């Protein structure tokens, strides 16, 4: 390659972009509803332990691979092992996972855009809960709304990725992430004034473990991968635009803490509203698009708060989608020498097409929704892709990444790389230990649970 590799403008730029990738629908949409379904408290604690002992070490491993190799995933595994090594398959797995995730992620992000328009038009005002639930049903099952917003969202994502590392991705993160924090804090301050706040606080941080099952524990572990954008090389790719002496431990800590903070704050924004309006915390995926609008319909200035909330959700989704597309596009840029423009448009266009069945999976077309759910697969297209990626592909990718760094990369190079430019050198031994033993055991437990081994043994 003749041109020097693009780099982040600053360490803060990297932290904002990487936490932009991590903070997404996973934090604001998924984490609160799975916390609700698993009864709060203890689930939250277990999630925090999973982030610290499994997520954080893998994040460091990914950034290590990217920063050392200065390559996107496929090239990174090749350059740190050797040509033709089977480890390169992990890079391919990452590209495929990015493609699949973005295809359905963009559909949910599209809903957030549609809900911004509904909020601006004050459409929830004075509506009954039944009306609002029905409204979501209409949105989810409308082919034109879903496909239209999905394509619009993909077009914005492609435009930012075309802009490149410093002037596209980093600039977007520098604008969107601070705005996201301001909106979240504004909503939090408002939430503290509601009557449901103390109950919500207790729900999230108090122990009343009666609802937590062993499956919930494994769900917390699985979610740790998704929420930190781990297991598919997003952090390898972003890490490859760091300088070799940038502090990999410090940035990983910063990104993990920011991501966790946003997930907890999202709970403290959503649950007070849920409790104030006497709703069910365990209502599932509809929490954001049904329970929240119901609450907005009953509150003073609801249209404004609803707009802020859905803009926040849209920004969070956008900075994550950018990283998903960057993983796929950077393969073609680095390995096939495609111009960035071509790579972003071709990959983004392909993902947009691949996303159409997901856009039709909630009633838009029977083939991808009810027919599919009634068939041998037993779920609609979007749920199938979501389950396949977050329950199988990401943990598998994370396992490969951990094993690669723990067992394949030479010890001296690993130690030197880890300690390069960091104040946290003392964490080295613990990092390798976790990658070698705890990560594989944790991921295997998730898989054994998935194929029903624990159930057969009567453990759950
Ligand atoms: N971390 C994102 C979220 O929590 O919504 C989702 C995600 C983005 C997963 C990028 C994986 C990834 F590579």
């Amino acid at each position: 390659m003749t041109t020097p590799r693009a780099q982040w403008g600053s360490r803060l730029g990297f932290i904002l972009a990487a936490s932009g990738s991590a903070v997404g629908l996973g934090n604001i949409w998924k984490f609160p509803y799975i916390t609700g379904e698993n009864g709060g408290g203890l689930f939250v604690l277990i999630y925090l332990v999973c982030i610290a002992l499994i997520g954080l070490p893998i994040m460091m491993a990914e950034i290590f691979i990217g920063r050392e190799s200065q390559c996107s995933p496929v090239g990174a595994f090749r350059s740190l092992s050797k040509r033709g090594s089977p480890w390169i398959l992990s890079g391919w797995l990452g590209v495929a996972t990015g493609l699949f995730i973005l295809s359905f992620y963009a559909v949910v992000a599209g809903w957030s855009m549609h809900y911004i328009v509904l909020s601006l038009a004050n459409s929830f005002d004075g509506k009954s809960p039944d009306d609002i639930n029905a409204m979501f049903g209409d949105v989810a099952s409308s082919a034109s709304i879903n496909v239209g917003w999905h394509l619009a969202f993909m077009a914005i994502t492609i435009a930012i990725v075309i802009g490149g590392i410093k002037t596209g991705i980093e600039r977007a993160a520098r604008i969107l992430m601070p705005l996201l924090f301001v909106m979240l804090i504004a909503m939090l301050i408002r939430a503290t004034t509601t009557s449901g706040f103390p109950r919500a606080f207790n729900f999230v941080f108090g122990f009343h473990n009666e609802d937590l099952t062993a499956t919930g524990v494994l769900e917390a572990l699985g979610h740790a991968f998704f929420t930190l954008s781990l297991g598919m090389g997003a952090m390898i790719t972003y890490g490859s635009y760091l300088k070799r002496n940038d502090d990999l431990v410090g940035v990983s800590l910063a990104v993990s803490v920011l991501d966790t903070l946003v997930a907890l704050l999202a709970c403290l924004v959503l649950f007070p509203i849920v409790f104030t309006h006497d709703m069910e915390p365990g209502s599932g995926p509809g929490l954001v698009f049904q329970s929240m609008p119901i609450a907005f319909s009953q509150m003073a200035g609801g249209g404004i708060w609803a707009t802020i909330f859905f803009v926040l959700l849209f920004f969070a989704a956008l900075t994550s989608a950018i990283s998903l597309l960057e993983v796929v596009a950077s393969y073609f840029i680095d390995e096939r020498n495609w111009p960035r423009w071509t790579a972003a448009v071709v990959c983004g266009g392909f993902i947009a097409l691949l996303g159409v069945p997901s856009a039709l999976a909630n009633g838009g077309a029977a083939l991808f929704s009810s027919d599919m759910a009634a068939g041998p697969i037993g779920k609609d297209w979007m749920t199938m892709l979501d389950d396949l990626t977050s329950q199988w592909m990401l943990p598998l990718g994370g396992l490969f990444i951990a094993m690669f760094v723990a067992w394949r990369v030479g010890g001296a190079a690993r130690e030197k790389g880890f300690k390069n430019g960091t104040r946290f050198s003392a964490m080295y031994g613990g990092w390798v230990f976790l990658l070698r033993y705890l990560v594989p055991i944790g991921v295997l437990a998730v898989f054994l649970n998935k194929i029903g081994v624990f159930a057969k043994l009567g453990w759950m």
Side-chain angles (χ1 to χ4, degrees):
M1 249 188 302
T2 42
T3 42
R5 189 166 186 78
Q7 282 186 335
W8 303 106
S10 69
R11 214 173 85 110
L12 179 69
F14 169 82
I15 293 175
L16 288 175
S19 40
S21 168
V23 171
L25 297 171
N27 301 60
I28 297 167
W29 170 60
K30 200 164 181 190
F31 181 66
Y33 89 70
I34 59 175
T35 297
E37 285 175 342
N38 286 292
L42 192 60
F43 176 81
V44 173
L45 180 72
I46 288 170
Y47 167 79
L48 295 178
V49 172
C50 290
I51 294 281
L53 296 185
I54 293 188
L56 182 62
I58 297 183
M59 166 142 351
M60 291 178 192
E62 285 209 21
I63 299 180
F64 171 86
I65 294 175
R67 196 197 59 174
E68 290 303 297
S69 65
Q70 300 278 302
C71 293
S72 51
V74 174
F77 282 102
R78 183 185 310 116
S79 97
L80 297 183
S81 47
K82 56 181 189 304
R83 229 191 161 73
S85 148
W87 288 106
I88 296 169
L89 289 175
S90 323
W92 284 107
L93 177 69
V95 174
T97 312
L99 212 100
F100 286 163
I101 295 185
L102 184 52
S103 76
F104 70 82
Y105 201 82
V107 174
V108 181
W111 295 346
S112 73
M113 293 171 80
H114 186 71
Y115 270 70
I116 295 175
V117 176
L118 291 178
S119 309
L120 283 170
N122 214 359
S123 314
F124 312 126
D125 193 30
K127 295 261 165 47
S128 71
D130 284 348
D131 290 344
I132 290 177
N133 287 337
M135 198 187 259
F136 179 65
D138 291 345
V139 170
S141 63
S142 154
S144 56
I145 292 180
N146 276 277
V147 175
W149 286 115
H150 162 67
L151 296 181
F153 181 81
M154 282 306 301
I156 300 173
T157 309
I158 292 170
I160 296 173
V161 171
I162 290 176
I165 302 309
K166 219 184 286 185
T167 42
I169 300 177
E170 183 172 341
R171 189 191 287 165
R174 276 181 184 274
I175 300 170
L176 300 178
M177 292 307 287
L179 283 174
L180 184 146
F181 278 107
V182 170
M183 288 186 286
L184 197 59
I185 302 288
M187 292 210 69
L188 178 70
I189 293 174
R190 200 205 143 271
T192 56
T193 63
T194 58
S195 60
F197 189 78
R199 246 184 94 194
F201 193 87
N202 182 22
F203 180 74
V204 179
F205 294 112
F207 293 132
H208 26 74
N209 59 4
E210 58 281 5
D211 286 352
L212 188 68
T213 60
T215 307
V217 174
L218 297 172
E219 193 169 359
L221 178 58
H223 187 64
F225 282 93
F226 187 81
T227 190
L228 291 177
S229 305
L230 299 177
M232 55 156 279
M235 293 298 162
I236 296 181
T237 310
Y238 274 19
S240 75
Y241 307 119
L242 279 171
K243 293 191 217 33
R244 282 227 169 82
N245 60 353
D246 273 323
D247 173 2
L248 95 95
V249 187
V251 293
S252 305
L253 280 168
V255 174
S256 309
V257 168
L258 280 175
D259 184 77
T260 306
L261 203 65
V262 172
L264 295 178
L265 289 184
C267 285
L268 290 183
V269 163
L270 265 73
F271 289 124
I273 296 185
V274 167
F275 288 126
T276 304
H277 296 273
D278 264 335
M279 290 183 294
E280 240 317 292
S283 62
L287 188 61
V288 158
F289 294 105
Q290 290 170 302
S291 308
M292 289 299 279
I294 292 174
F296 292 133
S297 73
Q298 299 167 7
M299 91 183 38
I304 297 171
W305 288 110
T307 309
I308 296 178
F309 179 73
F310 288 110
V311 169
L312 190 160
L313 194 63
F314 165 60
F315 284 0
L318 183 58
T319 48
S320 298
I322 293 169
S323 72
L324 288 160
L325 180 55
E326 178 65 18
V327 170
V328 184
S330 66
Y331 165 75
F332 291 94
I333 298 171
D334 288 356
E335 302 290 314
R336 308 267 156 189
N337 283 327
W338 286 16
R340 174 166 280 278
W341 195 91
T342 315
V345 172
V346 172
C347 299
F350 180 75
I351 294 170
L353 279 182
L354 187 69
V356 170
S358 286
L360 302 174
N362 292 285
L367 179 63
F368 300 112
S369 51
S370 48
D371 284 1
M372 227 181 122
I377 295 182
K379 31 189 135 176
D380 67 79
W381 179 274
M382 189 176 191
T383 312
M384 174 189 78
L385 280 189
D386 187 1
D387 289 354
L388 178 71
T389 51
S390 49
Q391 300 179 8
W392 294 97
M393 296 173 85
L394 292 181
L396 193 64
L399 178 66
F400 289 157
I401 287 162
M403 308 264 281
F404 182 75
V405 172
W407 301 100
R408 175 68 183 78
V409 173
R414 184 178 58 223
E415 182 163 359
K416 186 160 164 269
F418 183 90
K419 294 185 173 169
N420 201 356
T422 189
R423 294 175 280 138
F424 302 99
S425 310
M427 287 167 68
Y428 177 71
W431 177 56
V432 176
F433 176 83
L434 292 172
L435 288 181
R436 283 208 166 145
Y437 306 108
L438 196 72
V439 171
I441 292 173
V443 173
L444 283 179
V446 171
F447 289 154
L448 291 177
N449 176 52
K450 283 278 162 255
I451 56 174
V453 171
F454 294 151
K456 282 206 190 80
L457 292 173
W459 292 359
M460 42 179 85

